[in-house]
Amino acid sequence: MDAPPTPQQHQQRLTHQHARRASDASDFTTIDWHETQKRAFERRAHAAAAAATSTSSFRLRFRHAAGSVAEGLRVWLVVFTVGVATALSAGAIDVVSVWLNDVKEGYCIAGPYLGRKIRLQLRRMDFMDGFSDTPMSRLHIILHIVCNDRFGFGWVVENVKVIGITLTVGSGLALGKEGPLIHIACCFGNIIAQLSATYRNNHAKRRHILTAAGAAGVSVAFGAPVGGVLFALEELAYYFPYKTMWRSFFCAMVGALVLKIVNPFRTGKLVWFEVKLSRRWHVFELPAFVLLGVLGGLLGSLFIRLNTILAGYRKRYWNERPILEVAVVALVTGLVGFSHAYLRVSTVDLVANLFRECADNHGDFHGMCAPAKERQVVVLLLFAAGIKFLLTVITFGTRIPAGVFTPTIAVGALFGRVLGIVMSAIQRQHPTDPFFTSCAIKPITNPCITPATYSIIGAAAFLAGTTRITVSLTVIMFELTGALSYVLPIMITVLVAKWVGDWSDVAIFPTESAPPGDGVTRSDDSLNSGDSGTDLVGRTHRGLYAALIAARGYPFLDPADEYLGDATVGDVIAKGVVALHARCAVRMAQQVIRSTRVRGFPVIAGHADGRVVGFVGRRELRDAIEIAKSGGNTDDDVLDFAEVQQADDIFGHARVVNVRQLVDAAPMTIPEDFPVWQTVEYFKKMGVRSVLVTTRENGVLKGILTRKDIIRFLASRYQ
């Protein structure tokens, strides 16, 4: 028997295997977070052991310590660079999209490059005298940095995305830039992280950078760094360790700070519709806020249902004609939008005017603040809300960079403004009514009811009903308004919208999932569904993104999915599993590699003994074959995967190659009578990709259970 490899050879082999296996994770495969953590711990342990046992201990210890410090600094440098790049891209998008929207309304001859609204804003602030820096000059610097060839060809894709969302927002379509900004930030995170070998060869570590980048995207989109961190925790991260939270916080802070320095709107605001509320709310307004939450939940659920239906229709009839579809949608948007006074402006301008209090408005926006025109304004606002709602339904999902945040905020703000105007009119007509007693107690708040606050509450309600985001949305709206006193009504409205939306998804607008096999490449016998009987699947978080993921059949295990039946793991496990023996001929190992496509193989004790003694990945098995061949062996030689007591030696005098260091000697196992509901939580909490299923008595292998098997099982029960 060959001598086992030295610790140095073991470490090199582990590093080599990790690099090769990590490169496979980019091909839309599931990351096993448990296995990734274990490999990282092994590498660190071997490096520390090698430094501690060396004769030149001081030098190696110093090198090990310096390497650890350098790796830590590299992480923060990558996160910092991602935040800066995201903020600069957001600034470029803001400047150009605002200028494109201004061109439709006119421009100033003295400075056409500034845009009409920005130049008027600068005049009001009396900043024009001696003004030398311009948004276009700053934009030139931004584009020069982004287009620099030193960053590699991946930046070309990033530039296309930035240009696409800029033209989309500038065109006036019923779309926003917030969602694409998150995507752009993640693209930056992926490209910049790959400049370092630490992340280029470790897809799991790169996912942590993408989570931090997503937080920066929300931060620059809404001017809400804290909300961005919570959004990454609530929506983006499937696995969110403590260190990722700090990196996300730092990346979001850098993005917001750089965008503040860029100052794309020349107002000091991070977003165009940022407001500062100066009036307080009253207790008698809570029923109206709850009503907005109910309306937001119903409309959000209706939006999800209509959009998923349209997505299926689009896939069947418009999949081969994306350019024609976009042209038709743009034409319809232009014709309908310019026929309505409130829809002629861009969506961000509309939201900005809806969010402003009448006392702070620079001019009356089409009579919105005129009491004499209240009935006419209410009718126009309702028509605008309905038109914007339908345009968003048909536009979101086309083959252009598209975000749903801004248009849903606009629809909710329109409905909220209507309710605010109605409430204000009722209060003015009945000022002495006991229901409005607090208005008489606090005469300083004049007017007593501010319709702008209802616009903000309505925007949060409809956005919550569409996306089912709760905690991060509340913080984002708080950071947008800067009013701590409005956190409570926003929380109440968001919760009501989510509850009503979840209820209406089941009771009024039920959505359909894709067939269980869609998007999951498995053989027909990989799922033994059995009798569905009384099994139920609880899906308490069916927002727009989750609905689209389910409709397209992507293999994603939603953290909110729950199984409420009594099935066991034995009903779900894959049948016909290929297992290797503790001692396996090289010829047999090569045949297994050629005849299968699975990612790993259980290792059992022997022919008559099916006890699980380990697990070897596909890459590790190939490495074992290469190690055996490097010793000049023939195909009749034997790979030794585990130490077991053999009753008889069927290989005779064949040479045995020790490859135990490549085998996971303690794989994750569960008994076959383990309940499925607990297994679902096991996969969600542990982040594992697959587990071995054994008998409870003696640990004999019964099969393999993968995350995709669980997803297909839940999908079949849900339908």
Side-chain angles (χ1 to χ4, degrees), residues 14 94 127-128 177 210 217 221 226 243 245 270 281 296 303 420 448 487 495 610 630 651 695:
L14 285 175
D94 289 335
F127 278 177
M128 288 305 299
K177 63 181 176 62
L210 297 184
V226 179
K243 59 184 178 182
M245 182 186 69
L270 298 182
W281 60 281
F303 179 88
C448 178
V487 171
L495 285 176
S630 64
F651 298 105
T695 58

Side-chain angles (χ1 to χ4, degrees), residues 13-69:
R13 189 174 293 121
L14 285 175
T15 304
H16 177 64
Q17 295 161 18
H18 175 76
R20 296 178 63 182
R21 293 179 64 184
S23 63
D24 293 342
S26 59
D27 297 330
F28 200 38
T29 56
T30 304
I31 290 180
D32 193 327
W33 296 104
H34 180 268
E35 180 67 19
T36 301
Q37 280 188 319
K38 184 170 64 175
R39 290 200 306 266
F41 175 79
E42 289 177 350
R43 288 196 309 273
R44 291 197 301 268
H46 281 288
T53 59
S54 175
T55 55
S56 305
S57 58
F58 176 77
R59 184 177 61 183
L60 286 182
R61 287 176 182 176
F62 177 78
R63 185 183 302 173
H64 176 69
S68 300
V69 173

Side-chain angles (χ1 to χ4, degrees), residues 55 200 288 367 399 467 560 567:
T55 55
R200 184 170 56 250
R399 304 281 186 87
T467 63

Side-chain angles (χ1 to χ4, degrees), residues 10-140:
H10 188 190
Q11 172 64 18
Q12 292 175 359
R13 189 174 293 121
L14 285 175
T15 304
H16 177 64
Q17 295 161 18
H18 175 76
R20 296 178 63 182
R21 293 179 64 184
S23 63
D24 293 342
S26 59
D27 297 330
F28 200 38
T29 56
T30 304
I31 290 180
D32 193 327
W33 296 104
H34 180 268
E35 180 67 19
T36 301
Q37 280 188 319
K38 184 170 64 175
R39 290 200 306 266
F41 175 79
E42 289 177 350
R43 288 196 309 273
R44 291 197 301 268
H46 281 288
T53 59
S54 175
T55 55
S56 305
S57 58
F58 176 77
R59 184 177 61 183
L60 286 182
R61 287 176 182 176
F62 177 78
R63 185 183 302 173
H64 176 69
S68 300
V69 173
E71 184 175 357
L73 292 177
R74 189 183 300 115
V75 173
W76 293 107
L77 179 61
V78 169
V79 172
F80 175 82
T81 308
V82 170
V84 172
T86 303
L88 294 179
S89 297
I93 293 171
D94 289 335
V95 170
V96 179
S97 60
V98 169
W99 182 82
L100 289 174
N101 279 295
D102 287 349
V103 170
K104 294 181 291 186
E105 301 180 18
Y107 63 92
C108 297
I109 299 177
Y113 50 84
L114 287 176
R116 179 172 172 268
K117 286 190 289 293
I118 292 181
R119 191 170 180 90
L120 292 175
Q121 179 69 25
L122 292 173
R123 281 182 176 176
R124 279 194 291 266
M125 298 172 65
D126 196 23
F127 278 177
M128 288 305 299
D129 294 336
F131 182 74
S132 58
D133 190 15
T134 65
M136 289 304 296
S137 65
R138 188 163 295 177
L139 175 62
H140 174 76

Side-chain angles (χ1 to χ4, degrees), residues 66 75 82 92-93 150 224 231 250 301 327 343 395 432 448 460 524 597 609 617 654 674 695 698 702:
V75 173
V82 170
I93 293 171
R150 291 178 301 171
F231 181 86
F250 179 73
S301 184
L343 301 180
T395 308
T432 59
C448 178
D524 293 337
R597 299 178 58 185
D609 188 356
F674 203 67
T695 58
N698 48 18
K702 301 298 292 185

Side-chain angles (χ1 to χ4, degrees), residues 175-191:
L175 298 171
K177 63 181 176 62
E178 286 74 17
L181 267 178
I182 301 173
H183 185 202
I184 289 171
C186 291
C187 290
F188 275 122
N190 188 53
I191 295 171

